[in-house]
Amino acid sequence: PTRRSSDLLERVDSRYSLILLASKRAHELDAGASPMLEESEYKSVKNVGRALEEVVAGKLRIKSEGQEG
């Protein structure tokens, strides 16, 4: 199945926030951060795609104000 923007926007409230989140996470992955999914679960080889897959899987979220962690 392909990622649709509607699948992504169910997890993040705006396209702008989604782009910022995916970009930041892709940079973290480029720098050697541990993946949030098993290697076999990723369909994309590029880190931006992997970041978006983490969003769809519910592993990557934007912290709300006052939320710790």
Side-chain angles (χ1 to χ4, degrees), residues 22-43:
S23 175
K24 181 176 180 181
R25 179 62 180 152
H27 285 290
E28 290 174 355
L29 290 169
D30 286 339
S34 297
M36 294 181 173
L37 301 174
E38 295 296 322
E39 192 64 34
S40 62
E41 294 179 82
Y42 289 108
K43 294 177 178 68

Side-chain angles (χ1 to χ4, degrees), residues 3 22 25-27 29-30 39 42-54:
R3 268 185 320 274
R25 179 62 180 152
H27 285 290
L29 290 169
D30 286 339
E39 192 64 34
Y42 289 108
K43 294 177 178 68
S44 181
V45 295
K46 295 185 178 182
N47 285 334
V48 170
R50 288 178 173 219
L52 294 171
E53 289 177 38
E54 291 174 353

Side-chain angles (χ1 to χ4, degrees), residues 48-66:
V48 170
R50 288 178 173 219
L52 294 171
E53 289 177 38
E54 291 174 353
V55 172
V56 170
K59 300 288 186 175
L60 183 60
R61 298 189 260 318
I62 293 177
K63 291 182 198 175
S64 300
E65 284 188 41

